[in-house]
Amino acid sequence: MSGKLQDKVALVTGGRGGIGRAICERFLAEGATVFAADLSDAGSMGPSPQGSAAFVELDVTSEDQVKAAMAAVEAAAGKLDVLVNAAGIEIEKTIEHTTLEEWNRCFAVNVTGMFLTCKYALPLLRKAAGGGNTASIINFGSYDGFIADPGLAAYCASKGAVHALTRAMACDHGPEGIRVNAICPGYVDTPMLQAFFAGAGSGGSGGTIDTLREAVRNVHPIRNYGTPADVANLVNWLASDEARYASGQLWILDGGLSAQVQQMRV
């Protein structure tokens, strides 16, 4: 039985990270040819198991490396049906304590990196689109692009930029058969979230998702936080032909967290 992405070609930036790795695994299970682009083959989670997506070394802030990555995909597959921009970093500081270098680095990875991969993927995406078919770009925003966690000023600003650029690209490239959406996760159990809890600005008092498990669950209406597989489920649908009418949207995936009024504590 063929999967939703049979015969499709996908490139996932941050493909060796927590969410990126889950997306790659899901895409492979759905029949796609998958390229996992990251700074290293091990990424943030250690060596990948056998049968993982093909690795492409990529620093998304390097225009030359982005060009080389797209050339490698073209040489191997000849087209690109799906681009997932999952690479990202987080800086846990207020603007007062954020250096210009840190600010620029956050935007370089989270926004400029997305700009570069989309820019140089477009010729390959156009090859896959047309004749009733659509290609799909899936960017990673955040619920922090709508509301803000304390001590994440640069990160929140960068994700707001991702949201705006996603909508602009959807308008510009929809007529070419290229759909563009952004997924905006809330709390998802990844190395980035573990680092957030351990950070001084998180409000977690230097804890981890394990020590704060109940508190993390209870702040969500559904009383749970997300997993990389939860995110991969939505990415898989947006990448598939079932989502042919979905474009220009910001898909919040946060267990209802941003839907509620935060209760006053007295």
Side-chain angles (χ1 to χ4, degrees), residues 146-159:
F146 297 97
I147 58 178
D149 279 307
L152 290 177
Y155 179 79
C156 292
S158 72
K159 291 305 181 178

Side-chain angles (χ1 to χ4, degrees), residues 98-245:
T98 301
T99 66
L100 180 58
E101 181 180 5
E102 289 170 332
W103 175 272
N104 287 340
R105 176 64 180 167
C106 189
F107 271 77
V109 176
N110 294 354
V111 185
T112 306
M114 188 188 83
F115 155 74
L116 288 171
T117 55
C118 291
K119 176 180 175 69
Y120 290 108
L122 281 170
L124 290 176
L125 292 164
R126 290 186 184 109
K127 288 185 177 183
N133 298 318
T134 63
S136 179
I137 296 173
I138 302 163
N139 299 321
F140 266 77
S142 172
Y143 88 119
D144 274 317
F146 297 97
I147 58 178
D149 279 307
L152 290 177
Y155 179 79
C156 292
S158 72
K159 291 305 181 178
V162 167
H163 296 177
L165 186 53
T166 294
R167 289 188 176 112
M169 289 193 298
C171 294
D172 289 339
H173 303 292
E176 300 175 288
I178 299 171
R179 298 182 292 107
V180 189
N181 291 280
I183 293 179
C184 309
Y187 287 70
V188 179
D189 188 5
T190 63
M192 182 182 285
L193 184 64
Q194 295 282 3
F196 172 67
F197 278 128
S202 71
S205 301
T208 68
I209 200 168
D210 292 317
T211 60
L212 298 167
R213 188 177 299 274
E214 289 309 309
V216 173
R217 282 180 169 160
N218 289 337
V219 77
H220 293 77
I222 67 166
R223 297 299 185 261
N224 213 339
Y225 49 83
T227 68
D230 293 323
V231 181
N233 289 337
L234 181 53
V235 174
N236 185 65
W237 180 74
L238 286 171
S240 75
D241 292 335
E242 287 186 356
R244 56 173 291 276
Y245 197 50

